[in-house]
Amino acid sequence: MFSKACEYGIRASIFIAKNSFEGRRVSPKEISEKINSPQAFTAKILQALVKNNVIKSVKGAYGGFEIDKEKIAKIKLAQIVNAIDGDNIYKGCGLGLDKCDENHPCPMHDKFKVVRDGLRDLLEDTNLEELALDLKKGSAFLKI
Amino acid sequence: MFSKACEYGIRASIFIAKNSFEGRRVSPKEISEKINSPQAFTAKILQALVKNNVIKSVKGAYGGFEIDKEKIAKIKLAQIVNAIDGDNIYKGCGLGLDKCDENHPCPMHDKFKVVRDGLRDLLEDTNLEELALDLKKGSAFLKI
DNA sequence: CTAAAATAGGATAAAAATATCCGAATTAAA
DNA sequence: TTTAATTCGGATATTTTTATCCTATTTTAG
Ligand code: FES
Ligand code: FES
């Protein structure tokens, strides 16, 4: 469904959000350990998320990654997915036609659109806060 | 969403189904032209579909690919997707955890499951006949 | 039997995704 | 001001996906 990079990116964002709630900055090392992802590769993805204003980085000693507390509830999954995988997964044609067009649909269009629009709603309506809260409560997990 | 190989595989299967309805066998060359896909690559995918009993090949002069008419309505999209991409896309965890487990869910689980199960239903309930019919009627297309 | 028309399948190439490594730049504390 | 702890960014490596090419094998028509 999503690329590995995107999966890591979402998991990392949720982990950072949870820790920012608690006032903690986190390092790529800790992130990759806690979400079970390759460290250097994850670091690249974090850089991309910084550029896309999803997370914030603080350089130098005592630095790390964080998200402004007020922003956590405003960041939608779609923003993260879009920054890493683009929007084709929740906007494009399921059979790979150049674009999904009501007037020139693929044979899967009618049925696929329902599923894909459900995914789009999920991504556009779900914010980092609710996900991070599940993590904090212990009712959801980011690895194993 | 799906891999290129899978997109080509589904489009090719629909095209073959439509032609088998009309009693025509088709070549990889014609298939790739009509679904707008690279010929040699598509041929490999067709071979995989033959091995997985989705389509039938007839070797030698006057050969080509076809699907038994009685089988067309019985072949589900899930069978094609499974043969090429596996079932992770419609059974696996959206955040890439090793498996989707109610008792150890990722933070996206509750919402993602709804979408993913919708996709699973689509794939398991949709058969080649309905798709091929849309193509025949001219109400759906396989390229551009 | 031969020739022509097909699919099958192995070898290879190119591109993209995934992953690692290392030095440069930045920053806070001592 | 020095040092240690960091992120940043470029270079490189590996693996997977996508794609091409060429030969072998099969099969029918003549
Ligand atoms: S045209 Fe294929 S999903 Fe809309
Ligand atoms: S555990 Fe992630 S979707 Fe179910």
Side-chain angles (χ1 to χ4, degrees), chain B residues 92-95 97 99-101 104-106 108-109 112-113 116:
Chain B
C93 167
L95 290 189
L97 303 196
K99 58 174 185 138
C100 174
D101 178 356
H104 194 85
C106 72
M108 251 181 43
H109 176 83
F112 184 75
K113 192 165 57 104
R116 191 201 53 197

Side-chain angles (χ1 to χ4, degrees), chain A residues 27-28 44 47 57 59 61 64:
Chain A
S27 67
K44 297 287 189 203
Q47 282 179 45
S57 75
K59 288 187 201 173

Side-chain angles (χ1 to χ4, degrees), chain A residues 17 20-21 49-57 66-77 79-80 126-130:
Chain A
S20 292
F21 261 131
L49 292 177
V50 169
K51 277 195 183 150
N52 278 275
N53 294 308
V54 175
I55 61 180
K56 207 172 81 180
S57 75
E66 63 183 22
I67 306 177
D68 293 341
K69 273 183 188 167
E70 328 81 57
K71 275 195 63 184
I72 296 177
K74 289 180 188 149
I75 297 169
K76 303 293 198 304
L77 281 181
Q79 205 181 329
I80 301 173
T126 308
N127 66 67
L128 273 187
E129 182 174 66
E130 32 185 326

